Amino acid sequence: MSSTTSRPRPVRWGTAARHTLLILGSATVIVPFVWMFLTSVKKRSEVFTRLWPTEWHWENYVHAWQAAPFERYYLNSIVMTVGIVVGHLVLDSLAAYAFARLRFPAKNPIFLLLLATMMVPQFVTIIPAFSLVVQLHWTDTYWALIVPRLADVFGIVLLRQYFSTIPKEIEEAARLDGCGRVRTFVQVVIPLSSASLATLAIFAMLFAWNDFLWPLLVTNGDEMRTIQIGLAAFQGRYATSWNYLMAGTLTSAIPTIVMFLIFQRALIRGVAGTGVKG
Amino acid sequence: MVATTAPTVGRSVQEPVRRSVRDRYSRREVLTAVGFLVPALVILGTFVIYPIVSGGFLSLTSWNGFGTAQQFVGLDNYARMLADHEFWNSLLVTVLYAGGVSVLSVASGLAIALLLDAPLRGLAVYRGIYFLPVVTSSVAAAIVWRYMLDSSGVLNRLLTAIGLPTVDWLNQRWTALAALTLLTVWKNLGFNAILYLTALQALPVSLTEAAQLDGATLWQRIRWMTIPLLRPMTFFVVVQALITAFQSFDLVYVLTGGGPTGGTEVLGMLMYRYAFKLGQFGYGAAIAFASLALMLGVTLVQWRATGSGESDLA
């Protein structure tokens, strides 16, 4: 990012032209969101007939939430997301530290095996994973929603990369002071890695909150549905009440959008990092 | 600590081997490592690695999803797949969709990145806006698009306003596939733009400056320097787009449900229908493995074609 500011390059084609094109692009991206919001406060007769609502019906949100157990969906999504994020932070960072710093037999083969699984699409694993969960009688429980996603290879790779950049001297100093491996990890490495742990937490949160296929398979009743599954089902039942549907859709999207607005930097740094080789 | 049960004569033979293992790994450290690794490896082993193996076995059975009666049928599922016109339709749909998504992802991502690659006021705002669909769930994105593509939706009203006939987007095979493709590109635009922007900002400035001094126009510089230099990133973006398309499920499920009459039934959707709607888990697993093989094959061909992902100039 710094290279842009430090390189004073002559602007050949006007900044105005850039802005015009960027604004046009932004419009195609943002119009659906504006549209979603405007529709969510329209009265039903105006859903397809007017661009701008004549009256603002905020109570649509209440009605939508009453038409389906959205609080329950929300609660399920929150429990699932928190569980998965905590799992990732703990399990991924432990494993990542072992791969970054500890010496043990078959370290590289195990790591390569994990890397290879990243290439495999979820369709390949989903049928056996589903039948496993059925055999464990976990369907329609938080276990099914959370446990299979507690650890994740992407997180391990991300954190391992970061842990290896921490100067060894810092850890050695801690060990000379009498810290064991575990204490060094908890009291020295973890605090130094808060930025990358935050990046991982945000990614995990996004994926967990937006996940669809797995929660769709392991939940049946309204009781255990997550917000995404509830919303998809709501769409089927209330296909004509677009104003309610938009209200529900918007509320389902708010947590990730807010998280993004708060943690934009960490998220974009993370995305940029995925494309950089080496 | 040193095991000394071996007789003195044998020691000279045994010790070097033992010592080298012991030198490389301290017992304490190995135990710590095991403790650190076990939680993650148990989860990944149970829900990722074991399912890959058992999925492979499942694709050779005619399991219906109930009980343990997994009758071994060899390659029957794969043979059935080759004779199944639904599979071929699904393959065609997936290939067209993946192709469309990759081409448009590269074009749109690169265009936005080129526009953003300058000291620009409001850069953060633009970046934020382009990223909104990335963080929005596929379900929410697809529902909004369904609303806009409705026969009396905003898109058709726009068409009417400029005097064009309306289109029943989601109820015709090719328009539904086009809508799905555009929705996917729209959703990932910010992601691809950020990837390209990162790559652009890592390029050596001296090259373009030299070209500029030699009188190369902006278009010439983009066409003959920037695009070739960005080849490794283009490779990455294309592979990402292909993987996204091959793994696509949520967007299809909500936007069209695979319809109209299979017009958007990508391989993931076909697998879902056979395994979880029709209870043919063995056949579903075979479809999943076929799509994995295809994906790996396409990635490999692409890798070869772009010269191992190396850029032309750097």
Side-chain angles (χ1 to χ4, degrees):
Chain A
M1 304 271 148
S2 57
S3 58
T4 1
T5 43
S6 65
R7 97 175 98 142
R9 77 156 83 149
V11 181
R12 280 277 167 167
W13 43 310
T15 314
R18 272 176 198 269
H19 278 296
T20 312
L21 290 171
L22 282 169
I23 288 169
L24 278 175
S26 310
T28 63
V29 169
I30 211 165
V31 156
F33 290 93
V34 176
W35 201 233
M36 169 163 46
F37 167 70
L38 287 176
T39 306
S40 74
V41 290
K42 281 179 198 169
K43 63 180 177 198
R44 196 165 173 172
S45 60
E46 290 179 349
V47 162
F48 283 118
T49 55
R50 285 187 59 90
L51 294 179
W52 200 260
T54 46
E55 312 151 44
W56 295 67
H57 292 271
W58 296 102
E59 74 279 4
N60 284 350
Y61 283 82
V62 181
H63 290 159
W65 275 57
Q66 283 165 349
F70 271 103
E71 316 85 36
R72 182 73 206 187
Y73 301 156
Y74 234 81
L75 174 77
N76 292 337
S77 275
I78 290 171
V79 173
M80 175 181 82
T81 304
V82 169
I84 291 175
V85 170
V86 171
H88 279 235
L89 289 178
V90 177
L91 271 59
D92 292 358
S93 65
L94 283 172
Y97 186 73
F99 284 121
R101 278 289 190 269
L102 301 177
R103 288 150 64 94
F104 55 93
K107 178 161 137 177
N108 287 332
I110 298 175
F111 190 68
L112 283 176
L113 177 70
L114 292 188
L115 274 183
T117 66
M118 282 175 78
M119 291 286 289
V120 180
Q122 75 162 341
F123 296 135
V124 171
T125 57
I126 211 139
I127 295 175
F130 172 74
S131 82
L132 197 64
V133 161
V134 171
Q135 281 165 27
L136 291 165
H137 300 289
W138 276 2
T139 36
D140 277 320
T141 65
Y142 285 126
W143 299 110
L145 289 172
I146 297 170
V147 175
R149 299 286 158 97
L150 276 179
D152 152 74
V153 179
F154 170 76
I156 296 175
V157 174
L158 185 92
L159 292 178
R160 172 186 172 268
Q161 201 80 355
Y162 185 78
F163 290 161
S164 340
T165 66
I166 297 175
K168 276 196 171 116
E169 292 74 23
I170 296 180
E171 285 174 64
E172 275 159 16
R175 301 194 64 192
L176 284 177
D177 287 345
C179 275
R181 275 290 187 191
V182 179
R183 246 184 94 183
T184 313
F185 173 69
V186 174
Q187 296 191 341
V188 178
V189 176
I190 290 295
L192 280 174
S193 315
S194 51
S196 55
L197 289 171
T199 306
L200 175 63
I202 296 159
F203 271 98
M205 183 263 170
L206 276 181
F207 281 109
W209 187 270
N210 290 341
D211 196 12
F212 186 72
L213 180 54
W214 182 253
L216 175 73
L217 294 180
V218 299
T219 61
N220 295 312
D222 260 347
E223 273 295 286
M224 288 309 294
R225 275 184 180 145
T226 61
I227 185 89
Q228 308 301 341
I229 313 305
L231 189 61
F234 187 69
Q235 155 176 268
R237 266 178 291 164
Y238 296 85
T240 49
S241 314
W242 283 106
N243 48 349
Y244 294 171
L245 196 49
M246 290 298 115
T249 307
L250 197 62
T251 32
S252 82
I254 281 172
T256 52
I257 291 178
V258 169
M259 282 289 282
F260 167 65
L261 293 177
I262 299 174
F263 298 106
Q264 235 190 88
R265 263 168 197 282
L267 194 78
I268 285 171
R269 195 177 45 226
V271 169
T274 59
V276 178
K277 285 209 216 159
Chain B
M1 289 287 279
V2 187
T4 48
T5 43
T8 347
V9 194
R11 183 175 272 187
S12 59
V13 187
Q14 292 186 348
E15 273 308 299
V17 184
R18 285 195 177 175
R19 181 164 293 155
S20 74
V21 172
R22 199 169 285 139
D23 281 351
R24 276 174 41 209
Y25 305 110
S26 100
R27 214 178 117 96
R28 264 188 84 157
E29 196 163 329
V30 172
L31 281 179
T32 316
V34 169
F36 274 40
L37 279 172
V38 157
L41 288 187
V42 166
I43 297 292
L44 293 171
T46 313
F47 294 103
V48 179
I49 295 169
Y50 160 75
I52 294 175
V53 178
S54 102
F57 177 74
L58 215 58
S59 75
L60 305 175
T61 69
S62 60
W63 192 44
N64 63 8
F66 299 101
T68 46
Q70 307 186 352
Q71 207 200 338
F72 187 77
V73 295
L75 294 173
D76 280 9
N77 284 325
Y78 292 94
R80 172 183 167 192
M81 195 159 52
L82 295 180
D84 185 351
H85 75 273
E86 283 189 320
F87 171 74
W88 290 107
N89 166 64
S90 187
L91 187 61
L92 175 71
V93 166
T94 310
V95 168
L96 290 176
Y97 172 58
V101 169
S102 1
V103 170
L104 294 174
S105 294
V106 167
S108 59
L110 182 59
I112 298 296
L114 284 170
L115 289 169
L116 287 174
D117 182 35
L120 209 63
R121 236 172 234 276
L123 186 75
V125 177
Y126 288 126
R127 220 171 37 191
I129 290 175
Y130 288 117
F131 230 73
L132 270 185
V134 180
V135 299
T136 308
S137 75
S138 299
V139 178
I143 288 179
V144 178
W145 273 60
R146 273 199 53 190
Y147 171 51
M148 300 203 311
L149 292 165
D150 192 277
S151 50
S152 44
V154 68
L155 215 75
N156 277 328
R157 289 171 62 84
L158 276 175
L159 288 179
T160 319
I162 56 171
L164 290 173
T166 62
V167 180
D168 199 359
W169 297 98
L170 299 178
N171 287 318
Q172 299 174 49
R173 189 184 171 97
W174 301 114
T175 52
L177 189 57
L180 176 67
T181 307
L182 289 176
L183 164 60
T184 311
V185 174
W186 174 83
K187 187 160 184 330
N188 296 319
L189 173 63
F191 188 82
N192 295 321
I194 293 294
L195 288 179
Y196 267 125
L197 187 57
T198 316
L200 274 176
Q201 294 182 339
L203 290 186
V205 194
S206 51
L207 277 174
T208 39
E209 272 170 2
Q212 214 165 347
L213 285 177
D214 289 345
T217 62
L218 173 77
W219 171 245
Q220 283 175 327
R221 290 203 308 278
I222 292 178
R223 174 64 191 88
W224 300 108
M225 310 209 63
T226 314
I227 291 179
L229 281 168
L230 287 177
R231 187 170 279 200
M233 185 49 86
T234 301
F235 170 71
F236 185 78
V237 170
V238 168
V239 169
Q240 281 293 313
L242 290 176
I243 292 174
T244 309
F246 272 97
Q247 303 215 43
S248 193
F249 178 81
D250 324 7
L251 289 175
V252 192
Y253 183 95
V254 180
L255 189 74
T256 61
T261 54
T264 56
E265 190 166 56
V266 292
L267 285 166
M269 203 68 211
L270 185 74
M271 183 282 299
Y272 171 80
R273 184 157 62 86
Y274 271 109
F276 297 102
K277 289 283 160 198
L278 303 173
Q280 300 180 15
F281 283 77
Y283 193 47
I287 297 169
F289 268 80
S291 58
L292 169 66
L294 282 165
M295 202 183 80
L296 292 179
V298 170
T299 311
L300 200 70
V301 168
Q302 171 72 17
W303 192 63
R304 281 269 173 99
T306 52
S308 327
E310 292 300 320
S311 111
D312 284 354
L313 305 173

